[in-house]
Amino acid sequence: MLGFARFYTGPFWENLAEQLNSLGPPIKDPAGWKKVWADWKSNLKRKLANNRKEQQATGGGPNRIIEFSALEERVIDLAGLTAAVEGIDNSIAFGAPVEEDENDAGVANGTFPEAADDADAVEDAPDTGVQEQCARRKRRAPSSLNLLDTQVKQQKKIHNEIIDVLRTQTKKFGDLAYYGKTISKRLMDLQALETEN
């Protein structure tokens, strides 16, 4: 259960703060160094997310992939930040199933049937960055609303199933309470009989 356990790390951060403070300014308490570490990891995750987005872009415009220093690469490996941004390979995904139609296939291989007539319009546009914006703009597949509708239906189904389970559990708890009171009453009756004898 990696990532779910909590350990008391006070001595570790106190020792680390002492070592870092001995190197010279800045001087921080353990909470301050924790914040520096959290901010640094957050910044690295933001850079990784940017690189992932750039790798998945449709093209056009300058390359905006950010290079990492050797120290940053080591922190990324040690903290497992790549998995935090890209997900874990061979893991189970939840949500609506992905349905691919002909428009999605066109988007995947780089052809956009609905945009065939727009290609001339983009080439004739004045060079004010419009071409770059059009080339980089993501096109939504018409099936995205169908996928959203499927996901909402699945969530409603799961919601109703959970409500049914909770109702069953509530009834069972009610039965347990009833039987518990009955047993308690009978035990009290037995105790009263024993004190009479």
Side-chain angles (χ1 to χ4, degrees), residues 21-181:
N21 289 338
S22 69
L23 297 174
I27 307 295
K28 298 180 183 294
D29 62 346
W33 286 113
K34 277 186 190 180
K35 182 168 178 4
V36 168
W37 176 246
D39 291 347
W40 197 21
K41 286 194 311 182
S42 176
N43 188 30
L44 288 174
K45 283 200 315 198
R46 190 173 25 258
K47 288 180 180 180
L48 282 168
N50 176 69
N51 284 358
R52 184 163 192 242
K53 180 179 156 193
E54 285 297 317
Q55 288 172 347
Q56 294 174 345
T58 57
N63 180 3
R64 295 189 181 121
I65 291 180
I66 300 169
E67 296 291 327
F68 294 107
S69 69
L71 180 60
E72 288 174 328
E73 290 281 352
R74 190 163 177 222
V75 170
I76 289 168
D77 289 339
L78 286 173
L81 299 181
T82 303
V85 171
E86 295 180 4
I88 300 171
D89 291 337
N90 301 324
S91 61
I92 298 172
F94 295 94
V98 178
E99 297 172 1
E100 197 171 304
D101 63 8
E102 63 224 23
N103 291 330
D104 289 338
V107 171
N109 67 21
T111 61
F112 300 95
E114 70 275 8
D117 296 332
D118 294 339
D120 297 329
V122 170
E123 289 177 9
D124 294 339
D127 191 16
T128 58
V130 174
Q131 289 178 348
E132 181 181 330
Q133 288 176 357
C134 290
R136 295 186 61 80
R137 184 180 300 148
K138 292 185 178 181
R139 289 167 172 59
R140 291 182 182 238
S143 65
S144 62
L145 289 178
N146 293 337
L147 290 174
L148 184 59
D149 187 45
T150 303
Q151 184 177 10
V152 168
K153 286 177 183 174
Q154 285 182 345
Q155 288 175 346
K156 284 181 181 178
K157 180 182 172 191
I158 291 170
H159 177 74
N160 290 333
E161 289 173 0
I162 290 171
I163 288 174
D164 290 342
V165 168
L166 289 175
R167 284 184 181 142
T168 304
Q169 293 298 325
T170 302
K171 184 183 180 317
K172 287 181 180 178
F173 281 125
D175 292 345
L176 283 172
Y178 171 76
Y179 292 123
K181 286 179 184 176

